[in-house]
Amino acid sequence: PKDHLLPCSLNLTNYERFELIVSEILRLNEDPNVQGLALDLPESLYSSKILNAVKPEKDVDGLSDVNLGRLVRGEDSDYLVSPTAGAVVELLEDLDGKTVLLVDINGALGSSLQCLLQRRGAITASCHWKSPGLQSKLHHVDVVVAGSPKPESVPVSWLKPGTTLINCSSDLLSGRQSLNNTTENAVCSLAVAMRMQNMVKNTERWIHSQQLRKWDLHCLKLQPLSPVPSDIEISRAQSPKAVDVLAKEIGLLTDEIEIYGQTKAKVRLSLLERLKDQPDGKYVLVAGITPTPLGEGKSTVTIGLVQALTAHLKINSFACLRQPSQGPTFGVKGGAAGGGYAQVIPMEEFNLHLTGDIHAITAANNLLAAAIDARILHENTQSDKALYNRLVPVVKGVRGFSSIQLARLRRLGINKTDPETLTEEEISRFVRLDIDPSTITWQRVVDTNDRFLRKITIGQANTEKGFVRQAQFDIAVASEIMAILALTTSLEDMKERLGKIVVANDKKGEPVTAEDLGVTGALAVLMKDAIKPTLMQTLEGTPVFVHAGPFANIAHGNSSILADKIALKLVGEKGFVVTEAGFGADIGMEKFFNIKCRASGLVPSVVVLVATVRALKMHGGGPSVSAGAPLKKEYTEENLQLVADGCCNLQKQIQITQLFGVPVVVALNVFKTDSPAEVDLVCKIAKQSGAFDAVPCNHWSDGGRGAVKLAQAVEKAANQKSSFKYLYNGLLPPVTIAQKVYGAEDIELSPAAQSQIDRYTRQGFGKLPICMAKTHLSLSHQPEKKGVPTGFILPISDVRASIGAGFIYPLVGTMSTMPGLPTRPCFYDIDLDPVTEEVKGLF
């Protein structure tokens, strides 16, 4: 309990007092530490606007229009009775058939009293002390309830003998009125008690609201058409629910969401604290076989599966997806919101800016890049003393270290807090990072495919005083900050990881970090909103989290831990969270288990392994598949031999899954060119190869209804005993991954790679997990090698580190971190209708 006293006694007009009170009420409405508001105001300030400024759920006096409406409708469990009105009615016994006159009682209190009295069988009327005919009215009633003291001009003789007179002035609860009789004392005492009772009820409501709520989800109806329209036509044909409605349906509180437009909302991390004792739901990973360049539909399967679980089997489920980069959206790939009747909507918002997370990552990344080059320039052109005077300036006659500078001093072993006490040697160590420009690994980023930024020269202006070096741009999602966002578990953890980012080595070979540059706090500020997952919905109105989108080669290719953790709490113990890993199971799934699960501590229940007849035919020896080129007849006509031969890749991916002790369900993403015999053959071989089940899926054409069998198989598999385990523990295990996952005979480290491994081990990074950066188009390092290559030596050309994200990534061959635009990019088809503002041509 806390009193909020306003300066009403100051020399303010009534209007100024009124505005001040409303402003304070609105502030307290949004304070999560305040569960109820009681108003003790002068009579002149009680108005409808002030009473209705209080949120209904915090209105302990029960005088807002919402509470009064619930009282009138008789929704007994969902309203609070005015304490004063309740006290009056409680004191009056046997009201059935009696006449009650309310004098000088208007507004909310009068409405409450009339409603309560009439429920008890009384006949009510109202007037004022100065009303004509008052004497007659007083003489014919059994009870008089007055909102102000009886004036002397009204004699007691006007009351018939035995009439009960009760004063219920609004001043009763404030204690401002002098109580002169027993009845007034009784009303006051009882009203205070009832207000306390309302406060208890409100607190009980709040406690109940903090617990997991049963979902009250209203799914959207689908009416699939044949032939299936374009993805954007399907998306536009569906009207999504307002995101605040969706949030309420799945148990999110009003103060746990930040709304972006009509269909997107950020979800605050405070939910994890509220539901910390709630058991997690089942955790499902969608992975795939080695894909064709066209992709095999993992996102579509993920969305179809949750639509089936929730809209058709009535099981709580959440999809957790990566945010797509705008580079491929305008380049060659197009959108990434799923497809057909298994999509996230609105797809144009999903594929474009979303809630600005990638822009925040770009800003943070480039601030750090700017800090590196600026620090080198200033150290090259200034003395120790000049650097010190600028880094620790005198402000208003006082010189002091910032908190991040004090942390750097402690890391250097200098336990001093007064800038005037450092020796010349300590000043030199403090001000000089001595970055070796040849070792800088931190690059600038932009979220656009731009091949001409793959190698650039910076520092050519005269103002940079001859400090010129070669650098490059990466695409924004390749930034280590994106990987950090995906792997962080809290705001504090993210800040710590940002500080650990190694950007270069100094001239002694020691790592230089973002913390050394003093930029950690600023990076955290830029990322403070990006850390919150974005809530959206599927075509059938089921919830989706979109959060983070790290590369699946130089990073781990999975959506965020925080989105998964929040979703696992919201679905409840019997619900399902379905997330997707990039590329094939040999890459995305392996990293999900060994990197993401290691960081989160979460244990997966089931793996859904996506396969297509098209990809299996390619692995069986079919002709090459290229984006934009028509498929050869081998892929459009039945060919059981090609399918059977290609199932070796499916069998290998099942075996890889079994290395981790998790049951696997194969989802065969059916295309219209697949024959029933081909579908049956794949499912048969998958089951024979150790899959818990194998199910053909038609969600692309039928929505969730087309994935019901898959959902049922996943539900059964999740009840199986899981014996999840990591593939490795210990020092730098690329050979373990190469042999057990890829099927290599051995690895071959280049001298540069071996040197880096030795350096990282010496610097204390040797026990970090491994994130292998290799092609996704083959189990080997050679994209043209399909099926299950064997007997090869995996060449590791270099080894790099993402220390903030928490992994080492060996490079198998050359990895491009900046895509280029093709001859005819997707942007030729993308346009905006200036009248309707509709986006055209987006996939």
Side-chain angles (χ1 to χ4, degrees):
K2 185 182 293 185
D3 288 331
H4 291 265
L5 303 178
L6 297 174
C8 290
S9 60
L10 299 179
N11 189 24
L12 300 174
T13 65
N14 266 357
Y15 175 78
E16 289 170 331
R17 291 179 182 178
F18 180 90
E19 291 300 317
L20 185 63
I21 291 166
V22 170
S23 175
E24 181 67 3
I25 289 172
L26 294 177
R27 186 186 70 79
L28 294 171
N29 280 343
E30 303 307 317
D31 188 340
N33 297 313
V34 175
Q35 275 75 58
L37 284 175
L39 303 180
D40 286 333
L41 303 171
E43 186 73 31
S44 62
L45 290 175
Y46 275 97
S47 71
S48 175
K49 185 171 181 180
I50 283 183
L51 294 175
N52 286 305
V54 181
K55 275 188 175 180
E57 59 268 29
K58 295 191 177 186
D59 176 22
V60 297
D61 287 334
L63 296 178
S64 67
D65 286 351
V66 172
N67 264 317
L68 288 175
R70 290 169 177 168
L71 172 65
V72 170
R73 290 194 299 270
E75 299 170 6
D76 292 333
S77 63
D78 203 27
Y79 67 83
L80 296 177
V81 174
S82 159
T84 301
V88 169
V89 174
E90 192 70 23
L91 286 173
L92 296 171
E93 298 178 354
D94 190 22
L95 284 168
D96 193 24
K98 292 185 176 179
T99 303
V100 180
L101 181 64
L102 307 181
V103 183
D104 273 357
I105 302 177
N106 303 305
L109 179 59
S111 300
S112 295
L113 270 170
Q114 290 204 42
C115 181
L116 292 172
L117 290 166
Q118 288 169 9
R119 271 195 201 164
R120 297 278 290 271
I123 301 166
T124 63
S126 61
C127 67
H128 300 285
W129 285 120
K130 294 182 179 180
S131 295
L134 176 64
Q135 181 175 358
S136 174
K137 292 176 182 177
L138 291 174
H139 193 69
H140 290 91
V141 298
D142 304 297
V143 179
V144 176
V145 182
S148 61
K150 180 181 73 63
E152 292 183 2
S153 59
V154 178
V156 176
S157 60
W158 285 12
L159 299 171
K160 73 178 183 181
T163 299
T164 302
L165 175 62
I166 294 179
N167 179 16
C168 68
S169 164
S170 59
D171 286 342
L172 279 175
L173 282 168
S174 68
R176 288 190 294 268
Q177 181 173 352
S178 173
L179 303 180
N180 298 316
N181 61 59
T182 305
T183 305
E184 288 180 351
N185 274 309
V187 173
C188 178
S189 299
L190 195 52
V192 169
M194 286 190 161
R195 178 184 270 181
M196 292 177 68
Q197 191 176 54
N198 280 356
M199 290 178 178
V200 170
K201 185 174 181 180
N202 238 33
T203 304
E204 288 174 343
R205 279 179 177 178
W206 178 82
I207 292 171
H208 178 72
S209 75
Q210 300 305 295
Q211 298 166 353
L212 182 71
R213 300 178 185 177
K214 183 180 179 182
W215 284 19
D216 184 23
L217 193 68
H218 295 84
C219 294
L220 303 176
K221 298 298 181 184
L222 273 187
Q223 294 180 326
L225 301 177
S226 182
V228 176
S230 71
D231 290 349
I232 200 160
E233 287 175 323
I234 293 171
S235 176
R236 291 260 171 80
Q238 185 66 288
S239 297
K241 293 179 281 190
V243 72
D244 58 331
V245 173
L246 173 64
K248 186 176 181 180
E249 289 177 346
I250 61 174
L252 285 164
L253 307 183
T254 305
D255 60 5
E256 289 174 340
I257 62 171
E258 299 168 5
I259 295 175
Y260 286 64
Q262 296 295 314
T263 56
K264 307 185 296 289
K266 286 284 192 182
V267 176
R268 293 175 179 162
L269 307 189
S270 57
L271 178 143
L272 287 171
E273 176 62 24
R274 174 169 71 88
L275 298 181
K276 63 183 178 182
D277 297 324
Q278 166 65 34
D280 288 345
K282 305 290 187 181
Y283 197 24
V284 179
L285 175 70
V286 175
I289 64 170
T290 305
T292 68
L294 306 178
E296 310 317 309
K298 294 191 304 297
S299 298
T300 310
V301 169
T302 300
I303 298 162
L305 176 55
V306 294
Q307 288 180 180
L309 283 165
T310 302
H312 298 270
L313 298 184
K314 308 305 177 186
I315 298 170
N316 292 356
S317 73
F318 234 109
C320 292
L321 300 176
R322 290 181 292 167
Q323 179 184 353
S325 165
Q326 286 179 188
T329 298
F330 291 101
V332 66
K333 183 181 177 183
Y341 286 99
Q343 288 188 56
V344 178
I345 56 171
M347 71 164 294
E348 56 266 56
E349 294 189 25
F350 176 91
N351 282 305
L352 297 176
H353 302 281
L354 199 64
T355 47
D357 294 356
I358 293 180
H359 301 315
I361 288 164
T362 301
N365 184 101
N366 293 344
L367 175 62
L368 181 51
I372 297 166
D373 290 313
R375 186 59 176 262
I376 294 173
L377 172 68
H378 294 312
E379 287 188 22
N380 284 345
T381 56
Q382 297 180 52
S383 65
D384 289 353
K385 183 178 180 181
L387 280 169
Y388 193 59
N389 287 338
R390 286 178 170 85
L391 288 170
V392 193
V394 177
V395 180
K396 295 181 180 179
V398 178
R399 171 181 275 187
F401 294 115
S402 68
S403 58
I404 201 164
Q405 288 176 328
L406 288 170
R408 172 162 167 76
L409 286 169
R410 289 192 293 271
R411 289 196 303 278
L412 292 171
I414 304 172
N415 296 311
K416 295 180 180 180
T417 58
D418 183 353
E420 305 298 341
T421 62
L422 267 65
T423 66
E424 287 187 4
E425 185 269 339
E426 288 171 338
I427 288 174
S428 181
R429 290 169 58 207
F430 171 73
V431 300
R432 295 207 174 271
L433 299 180
D434 279 331
I435 296 171
D436 179 353
S438 68
T439 66
I440 295 173
T441 56
W442 195 259
Q443 310 298 346
R444 289 163 173 81
V445 300
V446 64
D447 197 28
T448 303
N449 288 8
D450 190 345
R451 65 177 67 247
F452 284 91
L453 294 178
R454 289 170 177 168
K455 183 173 284 190
I456 60 172
T457 302
I458 62 171
Q460 296 195 62
N462 292 334
T463 51
E464 276 50 77
K465 303 177 182 180
F467 173 56
V468 178
R469 70 178 181 90
Q470 281 198 339
Q472 68 184 59
F473 271 78
D474 295 335
I475 197 162
V477 294
S479 171
E480 183 180 345
I481 295 177
M482 176 63 91
I484 287 172
L485 178 65
L487 289 169
T488 195
T489 55
S490 67
L491 197 54
E492 183 180 359
D493 177 60
M494 182 178 73
K495 187 175 177 182
E496 183 179 338
R497 287 174 179 271
L498 290 170
K500 289 180 178 178
I501 292 172
V502 173
V503 299
N505 292 324
D506 64 19
K507 292 171 183 175
K508 295 178 182 177
E510 295 303 313
V512 178
T513 66
E515 188 80 2
D516 293 323
L517 285 158
V519 74
T520 306
L523 300 182
V525 168
L526 288 170
M527 293 294 294
K528 72 180 181 65
D529 293 319
I531 196 174
K532 304 163 191 171
T534 298
L535 176 66
M536 295 188 75
Q537 62 193 284
T538 68
L539 277 167
E540 298 192 50
T542 67
V544 177
F545 274 142
V546 185
H547 200 215
F551 257 28
N553 48 26
I554 65 165
H556 63 294
N558 287 267
S559 61
S560 78
I561 286 173
L562 282 170
D564 292 355
K565 285 194 166 187
I566 292 173
L568 284 164
K569 295 298 182 187
L570 286 171
V571 297
E573 193 170 8
K574 295 182 179 179
F576 286 81
V577 171
V578 184
T579 189
E580 175 198 345
F583 295 159
D586 56 305
I587 299 180
M589 183 191 72
E590 181 271 314
K591 295 174 182 179
F592 172 86
F593 289 141
N594 284 319
I595 298 176
K596 185 176 180 180
C597 289
R598 203 184 296 263
S600 69
L602 298 174
V603 176
S605 308
V606 182
V607 169
V608 173
L609 192 62
V610 179
T612 62
V613 168
R614 176 181 67 196
L616 293 173
K617 285 181 175 180
M618 179 189 71
H619 288 298
S624 62
V625 176
S626 302
L631 289 172
K632 302 286 175 45
K633 65 180 181 63
E634 287 85 351
Y635 297 104
T636 57
E637 298 174 0
E638 182 179 287
N639 191 321
L640 295 177
Q641 189 60 52
L642 267 184
V643 173
D645 292 345
C647 277
C648 61
N649 187 272
L650 172 61
Q651 292 170 311
K652 174 63 176 175
Q653 302 286 10
I654 291 172
Q655 291 167 13
I656 294 170
T657 308
Q658 292 170 334
L659 291 173
F660 298 93
V662 181
V664 56
V665 173
V666 171
L668 184 62
N669 199 8
V670 176
F671 294 175
K672 62 182 180 181
T673 54
D674 300 343
S675 73
E678 289 173 331
V679 170
D680 290 344
L681 178 61
V682 174
C683 292
K684 178 183 177 182
I685 292 174
K687 292 176 188 177
Q688 291 173 345
S689 303
F692 175 82
D693 204 348
V695 184
C697 304
N698 295 286
H699 45 275
W700 183 81
S701 57
D702 296 334
R705 186 180 62 197
V708 167
K709 289 183 179 179
L710 173 63
Q712 291 168 335
V714 167
E715 185 183 14
K716 291 177 183 176
N719 292 323
Q720 301 296 302
K721 185 178 179 181
S722 174
S723 52
F724 173 68
K725 58 183 178 293
Y726 301 122
L727 184 62
Y728 58 82
N729 286 291
L731 301 175
L732 296 174
V735 67
T736 305
I737 298 171
Q739 292 175 335
K740 291 189 176 182
V741 177
Y742 307 150
E745 186 176 313
D746 204 350
I747 64 171
E748 182 179 68
L749 293 170
S750 71
Q754 186 61 62
S755 174
Q756 285 290 71
I757 289 176
D758 294 341
R759 172 177 289 172
Y760 292 141
T761 303
R762 187 178 69 254
Q763 292 175 342
F765 307 138
K767 292 186 178 180
L768 291 177
I770 290 298
C771 182
M772 297 289 279
K774 80 165 189 72
T775 178
H776 63 290
L777 297 174
S778 172
L779 284 163
S780 75
H781 58 289
Q782 297 171 293
E784 69 278 5
K785 300 289 186 183
K786 305 302 181 182
V788 182
T790 57
F792 60 93
I793 305 297
L794 192 74
I796 297 177
S797 58
D798 199 1
V799 178
R800 298 177 188 169
S802 292
I803 303 304
F807 54 75
I808 304 291
Y809 60 100
L811 297 178
V812 181
T814 303
M815 288 292 116
S816 174
T817 51
M818 171 54 80
L821 290 174
T823 304
R824 193 187 189 284
C826 293
F827 62 63
Y828 276 92
D829 302 311
I830 296 173
D831 200 357
L832 181 70
D833 187 315
V835 177
T836 65
E837 297 186 13
E838 280 194 348
V839 177
K840 300 177 180 179
L842 192 64
F843 203 58

